Amino acid sequence: MNNILRFLFVMALCVGLGNAKIWGKNLVQFKNSVEGMQVNIFCKLNNKQLFVVFLEPGEIYDHWFHGQFVTTNKMDCDIRELQYKLVRIRAFKGASGSFDHGKTNYWDIREDGIYFTHGKDIPKLEYPW
């Protein structure tokens, strides 16, 4: 009986720590800075469709998620504006065999391309149209 109680206690601790805020979630944020133009964003996480979003000018979309221990987290996104410009980006890539937590990737869609920052620096042009 004591072994069962110990096992249940350890499991409860693991679940509690797994949901704790110290682990944090990853954030991928998209902002549409193209005046007068809607953009379409289609993203897959590890080759599985994750979301499709249409952003009006000035709109921001936040996607929060937890990292995975077993596989490398790869979020690939197609970003398209109505003038049929298309850019495929790697929006997020985590390390294999480690927990990714608390990472932030900010993507700003502008007239000349897609800009990137982790939030500490000024966004830089990563993907021109």
Side-chain angles (χ1 to χ4, degrees):
M1 183 69 163
N2 283 340
N3 288 338
I4 292 173
L5 289 175
R6 285 185 192 137
F7 174 76
L8 291 174
F9 178 73
V10 169
M11 292 304 292
L13 281 177
C14 290
V15 169
L17 288 175
N19 292 329
K21 292 188 180 197
I22 59 169
W23 293 105
K25 290 184 179 180
N26 299 307
L27 168 65
V28 175
Q29 181 183 87
F30 296 94
K31 178 182 179 186
N32 180 4
S33 296
V34 181
E35 280 189 42
M37 189 71 62
Q38 182 187 68
V39 295
N40 175 3
I41 303 168
F42 171 80
C43 291
K44 297 189 294 185
L45 183 63
N46 299 328
N47 291 322
K48 294 182 182 171
Q49 181 176 337
L50 191 58
F51 61 85
V52 176
V53 66
F54 295 88
L55 291 181
E56 296 295 330
E59 281 189 324
I60 295 173
Y61 177 77
D62 292 340
H63 181 75
W64 297 89
F65 65 99
H66 285 289
Q68 299 175 0
F69 183 72
V70 178
T71 62
T72 300
N73 286 308
K74 292 182 284 187
M75 184 185 296
D76 295 314
C77 300
D78 290 341
I79 300 175
R80 183 184 310 262
E81 67 168 31
L82 290 180
Q83 293 179 342
Y84 303 105
K85 295 178 184 174
L86 172 70
V87 174
R88 180 163 290 148
I89 68 169
R90 169 77 31 99
F92 183 89
K93 182 172 188 235
S96 179
S98 66
F99 284 108
D100 295 314
H101 57 279
K103 291 186 176 182
T104 54
N105 288 1
Y106 298 101
W107 296 95
D108 190 3
I109 303 154
R110 300 182 187 178
E111 297 283 340
D112 59 339
I114 316 298
Y115 286 71
F116 174 76
T117 184
H118 285 292
K120 299 173 188 167
D121 301 317
I122 296 171
K124 295 186 173 101
L125 180 63
E126 287 286 319
Y127 299 94
W129 289 114

